[in-house]
Amino acid sequence: MNEIIEKIAYCIEFGKINSASPYPPDLRGQDGADELTKKALDTGIAPSTILNEGMIAAMNKVGKKFSENKIFVPQMLLAAKAMSTAMQHIKPYFKSGTVKFKGKFVLGTVAGDLHDIGKNLVGMMIEGAGWEVIDLGVDVSAEKFMQAINSNPGCSVGLSALLTTTMVNMEKIVQEIRNNYRDIKILTGGAPVTMDFCKNIGADFYSPDPQGAVEYLNQIAS
Ligand code: B1M
């Protein structure tokens, strides 16, 4: 692999956002994902190569390590920040059509629920896997989900709930989506949710962590 792409991947995996970032200590004072991605583009490396071989490959490793409890929320947040910073240099190529998203993913925490830390992590990891994420935020009603789905044909949907009291709203939202779109893929997650609950309410998939959601989406995109 090209040396600069390897460096970008390393910076993202270990949360080296830019030259000012203090972590990881062995890279202190050196370029981070931000500067290296710009340099890679300036030297003529294709944005899709940087994205797929550097950035997405790194986030894949991060997701796996998190699932295996080898890293925790702070390390994952740093990696996601490095990824999203580097992504700012790649985004114009999505707009011009040089690089393509794998698909659109409409995401939100369900009505009545204000917890968003886990939902945000899931969104960042899915974006890091090459998807366009439309994040509707927290306390999202069925109506708002439907508006976003109608405006983004072909999207998949992610629902997050952290409260046993809001799981019932997750069910209502799934019903509303199913009444209008039978085939849309609906992913569910959040601490009280289980695969049994997911199946009972008519959603397609449950993942306990962001990596499972990424793997499911990649599978349906291929
Ligand atoms: Co709240 N809260 N909270 N809270 N809170 C919990 C969830 C609770 C378990 C605490 C407890 O009692 N032990 C409890 C729920 C009990 C229950 O229903 N079973 C609870 C309660 C009761 C409440 C209030 C009702 C408290 C009150 O006011 N009386 C209230 C409700 C407000 C509301 O939502 N309407 C409330 C409020 C809050 C704060 C606002 C103070 C704050 C949220 C801040 C924020 O999110 N911006 C908060 C917090 C921080 C927590 C705890 C401590 C931490 C949640 C968290 O962020 N975890 C939590 C206790 C706990 O979990 N230890 C608790 C870290 C995060 C990375 O994990 O969100 O699980 P998590 O996400 C994971 C996975 O679940 C998964 O991936 C993530 C990464 O691994 N995942 C998905 C999540 N969504 C996914 C979607 C997917 C796939 C995977 O696909 C679409």
Side-chain angles (χ1 to χ4, degrees), residues 1 3-18 21 23-24 27 31-38 40 47 49-63 65 71-90 124-125 127-130:
M1 200 202 291
E3 195 190 336
I4 195 161
I5 291 184
E6 266 180 40
K7 279 188 183 166
I8 292 169
Y10 187 88
C11 286
I12 290 178
E13 185 179 348
F14 294 96
K16 174 77 178 166
I17 300 162
N18 54 30
S21 309
Y23 303 107
L27 293 186
D31 283 346
D34 186 16
E35 295 86 0
L36 289 167
T37 303
K38 187 169 181 321
T49 307
I50 301 170
L51 182 69
N52 293 318
E53 294 178 20
M55 299 161 69
I56 292 180
M59 287 307 270
N60 213 5
K61 284 191 187 169
V62 171
K65 285 197 282 186
I71 60 166
F72 300 96
V73 171
Q75 288 105 313
M76 200 182 196
L77 283 173
L78 281 175
K81 179 69 186 160
M83 172 82 188
S84 62
T85 304
M87 193 68 129
Q88 296 311 314
H89 299 294
I90 304 289
M124 288 190 274
M125 293 304 288
E127 185 179 67

Side-chain angles (χ1 to χ4, degrees), residues 66 112-118 122 158-160 162-164 189-191 207-208 210:
F66 184 77
D113 201 320
L114 302 176
H115 297 85
D116 69 355
I117 298 169
V122 170
L159 309 177
S160 180
L162 262 288
L163 299 170
T164 42
S207 172

Side-chain angles (χ1 to χ4, degrees), residues 1 7 13 22 38 57-58 64 68 77 79 86-87 90 94-95 98 117 134 136 154 167 173 176 185 197 212 220:
M1 200 202 291
K7 279 188 183 166
E13 185 179 348
K38 187 169 181 321
K64 287 205 174 95
E68 293 163 0
L77 283 173
M87 193 68 129
I90 304 289
F94 282 108
K95 290 210 175 95
T98 316
I117 298 169
I134 297 116
L136 304 179
M167 286 167 76
I173 293 166
E176 183 65 23
K185 294 294 180 203
F197 176 78
I220 60 170

Side-chain angles (χ1 to χ4, degrees), residues 8 18 27 32-33 37 66 89 93 109 113 127 139-140 143 148 159 172 181 184 201 203 211 215:
I8 292 169
N18 54 30
L27 293 186
T37 303
F66 184 77
H89 299 294
Y93 298 93
T109 301
D113 201 320
E127 185 179 67
D139 190 19
V140 184
E143 193 190 6
L159 309 177
K172 282 185 196 151
Y181 294 94
I184 202 163
I201 63 172
Q211 185 62 11
E215 285 170 11

